[in-house]
Amino acid sequence: MIAELEALLGWKTAAVGLWILLFFAAERLLPAARPPAAVAGPSGGARRLGRNLGLWAVNLGLSPLIVLPVTFWAASHAWAWRPEWWQGLPGLALDILLLDVLIYWWHRANHEIPFLWRFHEVHHLDRFLDTTSALRFHFGEVLLSALARAGVILLLGFPFTSVLVFEALVLLCAIFHHSNLRLPAAFEALLSRLIITPSIHWVHHHAKRRDTDSNYGTLFSFWDRLFGTRSAKQRDPDMPIGVEGRPEEPILSLLIHPLHSQGAPIAPTRRDSP
């Protein structure tokens, strides 16, 4: 069992690494938007890249020390109530669907609960989006997410394999929908009927509160339509990215950001129908 899990982790790491490199190169060959003046040029771009990759490096160190052990422990002690039919590939598909709707609500909670927003705001302070934005999270948010996920695993009995596959899909999809890759409009419109695409998720990072407080989906795009959180805003290549009224911060300030943040959640606002 341990050998199989190590093999799965190895495949996940390799797949995610290749995916990052692919989109990092592709979005520079076919960019959808130009970076704003604040992050344009070699110095601004290098500082931004350093912030995002620095936060990612911290989380890479935490993953084998805390996140994976907590997840594995929860899966090993989960309540064994699953019926026989909830196994194999059909069971995996159902697990992915359930985990995705749960992460929708967790993401939404990170915007609406002041304590959680203190950590999640670090992700939104990025003034531009590309593949590295998908890796930019405060370590406190990563730890809180691991604890919340462990509780769900214990109650619903998700096997570790399902969680590992889902987490790999989350990373692959997050890299895709944060990317600055220009896609054919018709192709992206077709994809967006089922999954989250850059045009959907960029609106979530729009530096306007009513749009930041929308489009919470991670894998599937129908949760926002179902729960009434899909923004009617269309992506504009020149739309400002970030948190309304908040500046970007250097990496050391980002690491202690939850301590000095006001912790104000994104205020619920009326949404137009999509």
Side-chain angles (χ1 to χ4, degrees):
M1 181 62 177
I2 298 299
E4 292 176 358
L5 291 176
E6 288 177 348
L8 280 172
L9 285 170
W11 280 108
K12 173 190 172 184
T13 302
V16 171
L18 288 172
W19 194 251
I20 290 172
L21 292 175
L22 174 64
F23 274 88
F24 189 81
E27 68 188 0
R28 278 151 184 79
L29 293 172
L30 293 170
R34 295 179 181 179
V39 296
S43 59
R47 286 194 297 270
R48 177 180 171 274
L49 193 62
R51 285 191 294 268
N52 291 0
L53 296 184
L55 290 168
W56 184 39
V58 173
N59 292 324
L60 279 179
L62 286 177
S63 183
L65 293 176
I66 300 175
V67 177
L68 282 174
V70 167
T71 304
F72 185 73
W73 177 88
S76 301
H77 294 79
W79 185 25
W81 63 272
R82 287 178 166 231
E84 282 296 321
W85 58 265
W86 200 340
Q87 308 294 335
L89 289 178
L92 175 62
L94 182 55
D95 285 343
I96 289 171
L97 191 66
L98 287 173
L99 285 165
D100 195 49
V101 71
L102 289 169
I103 205 173
Y104 163 89
W105 285 106
W106 174 251
H107 187 186
R108 187 167 172 175
N110 272 266
H111 282 252
E112 296 179 353
I113 298 175
F115 175 75
L116 296 179
W117 175 249
R118 287 175 178 267
F119 298 92
H120 188 59
E121 188 177 32
V122 170
H123 176 65
H124 277 270
L125 285 172
D126 201 352
R127 302 295 295 274
F128 189 62
L129 290 187
D130 64 9
T131 54
T132 67
S133 304
L135 311 173
R136 173 191 167 125
F137 289 93
H138 192 276
F139 67 88
E141 178 178 355
V142 172
L143 294 178
L144 289 168
S145 297
L147 292 175
R149 183 171 59 244
V152 168
I153 293 170
L154 285 169
L155 290 175
L156 298 183
F158 291 111
F160 187 71
T161 301
S162 292
V163 177
L164 196 63
V165 170
F166 177 72
E167 289 300 317
L169 288 174
V170 165
L171 272 172
L172 296 176
C173 287
I175 290 164
F176 167 61
H177 62 234
H178 283 90
S179 75
N180 187 32
L181 178 63
R182 185 172 72 249
L183 297 172
F187 176 65
E188 185 169 4
L190 182 64
L191 283 181
S192 68
R193 294 178 180 273
L194 180 63
I195 66 172
I196 302 297
T197 63
S199 64
I200 294 173
H201 197 72
W202 273 58
V203 172
H204 176 71
H205 282 266
H206 186 202
K208 294 293 181 183
R209 293 178 64 172
R210 65 177 293 117
D211 292 325
T212 310
D213 187 27
S214 68
N215 296 8
Y216 295 116
T218 299
L219 299 188
F220 300 114
S221 59
F222 45 73
W223 302 125
D224 284 293
R225 294 196 296 269
L226 180 62
F227 298 119
T229 53
R230 179 68 177 268
S231 173
K233 172 74 175 178
Q234 297 297 311
R235 179 186 178 182
D236 177 350
D238 297 321
M239 68 195 307
I241 301 297
V243 178
E244 190 172 10
R246 302 284 182 90
E248 173 65 291
E249 300 176 9
I251 187 167
L252 292 179
S253 181
L254 290 172
L255 289 171
I256 62 170
H257 180 83
L259 299 178
H260 62 77
S261 170
Q262 296 176 13
I266 300 300
T269 56
R270 184 185 64 81
R271 301 179 186 87
D272 297 323
S273 59

